[in-house]
Amino acid sequence: MRLVLLGPPGAGKGTQAKKIIKDWEVVHISTGDLFRANIKNETELGKKVKAYLDRGQLVPDELTIALLWDRLDRDDTRKGYILDGFPRTLAQAKALDEGLKERGQALDGALALEVPFDVLVPRLSGRRVCPECGASFHIKDQPPKKEGVCDFCGHELIHRDDDQESTVAQRIQVYENATAPLLHFYKDQGKLIEVDGNQPVDRVAEEVHQALQKIQ
Ligand code: AP5
């Protein structure tokens, strides 16, 4: 299965991707995670992209598309993958289609999580993530057993810099302008699958599972 996950910041893309990969044995590829790993490791790419992430702006298409293909062309993607956070612009969506075509492949679907914007700020301002193993928590809705500490690896949890309220507002604006048009792009291709993301996590996961069974 080759799937794209769409939705505004905080829609639950990462949360649902972690559930989908267990059901379908595919790999989870998040361009946000790849950029953060490069920043943490202080690579050349990390130095180039840090300011964009800090400001809640998109990394230029050229850098993002190159990073994506570098990851997609690895062996572990043969059984399929979920792209979380890519594409985010029309140019990225077209580059993905063209690259897949050159490889004799195609996307199976684009799954959009629909969540009203007023729900996103509290979700992200309460999110705490583990920089070590990638686990995600929420201080009210899904608190770790011990405050500030990852349940899975014991590392200290962090509040992402771009989850501060003013940066979240900027990210939502960027989503509306650059990424929301992709809903029409995939609808026109007959690939758009819409799921209500404003429900409890397990209910969303159930609806996602049912929707994906139809395209397999
Ligand atoms: P990225 O890391 O992709 O951030 P994002 O898309 O803004 O998504 P998030 O990770 O913030 O949210 P999510 O939808 O995964 O929600 P989550 O499941 O964690 O990108 C960061 C930056 O990298 C971008 O701003 C940009 O600079 C750059 N970038 C990345 N890709 C790029 C690209 N293709 N092109 C250019 N630049 C790019 O959930 C959020 C919270 O809500 C959690 O606390 C969770 O517990 C909670 N939650 C989840 N589901 C529910 C639910 N159903 N009910 C209640 N709470 C829930």
Side-chain angles (χ1 to χ4, degrees):
M1 177 165 57
R2 297 186 194 91
L3 189 72
V4 158
L5 262 186
L6 297 170
K13 301 181 297 294
T15 303
Q16 294 303 324
K18 285 183 185 118
K19 292 182 177 289
I20 298 170
I21 55 171
K22 285 189 190 149
D23 291 345
W24 303 94
E25 290 183 43
V26 290
V27 287
H28 173 200
I29 298 174
S30 153
T31 38
D33 286 349
L34 294 174
F35 284 135
R36 281 185 289 277
N38 274 276
I39 292 171
K40 189 177 168 196
N41 296 329
E42 298 180 357
T43 66
E44 280 309 307
L45 177 67
K47 285 176 201 160
K48 280 187 196 158
V49 303
K50 185 175 184 310
Y52 294 101
L53 273 85
D54 286 347
R55 292 196 296 260
Q57 291 173 348
L58 293 182
V59 173
D61 286 334
E62 201 181 281
L63 292 176
T64 309
I65 292 166
L67 173 87
L68 197 264
W69 283 115
D70 183 51
R71 179 65 190 87
L72 277 190
D73 283 335
R74 290 198 212 152
D75 281 350
D76 64 348
T77 60
R78 278 200 200 136
K79 277 189 175 173
Y81 45 79
I82 298 171
L83 299 185
D84 164 4
F86 187 100
R88 268 173 144 105
T89 64
L90 213 47
Q92 291 180 14
K94 288 180 179 168
L96 179 61
D97 275 1
E98 280 162 25
L100 287 172
K101 203 169 163 193
E102 282 165 19
R103 290 161 177 80
Q105 301 170 350
L107 279 181
D108 294 304
L111 180 80
L113 295 175
E114 297 176 313
V115 180
F117 288 163
D118 60 346
V119 173
L120 303 173
V121 173
R123 277 195 190 182
L124 293 178
S125 55
R127 173 166 65 177
R128 298 292 180 272
V129 293
C130 177
E132 193 61 26
C133 73
S136 177
F137 301 87
H138 191 278
I139 50 173
K140 276 197 201 141
D141 302 335
Q142 201 199 332
K145 289 181 192 129
K146 187 174 170 200
E147 196 185 327
V149 177
C150 178
D151 287 355
F152 305 101
C153 71
H155 201 279
E156 191 181 342
L157 299 175
I158 59 158
H159 190 201
R160 261 168 58 177
D161 287 344
D162 63 346
D163 279 351
Q164 308 299 330
E165 214 167 311
S166 57
T167 317
V168 170
Q170 164 70 14
R171 287 161 63 199
I172 292 172
Q173 189 69 53
V174 167
Y175 172 81
E176 270 199 296
N177 295 340
T179 311
L182 297 184
L183 299 174
H184 296 287
F185 178 81
Y186 287 116
K187 193 169 191 174
D188 289 347
Q189 292 189 356
K191 290 190 175 163
L192 185 67
I193 305 158
E194 291 167 293
V195 170
D196 177 5
N198 191 20
Q199 317 180 71
V201 170
D202 288 342
R203 181 71 205 135
V204 179
E206 240 173 79
E207 291 193 11
V208 166
H209 187 84
Q210 284 165 12
L212 295 186
Q213 272 179 325
K214 289 185 193 151
I215 61 166
Q216 275 302 290

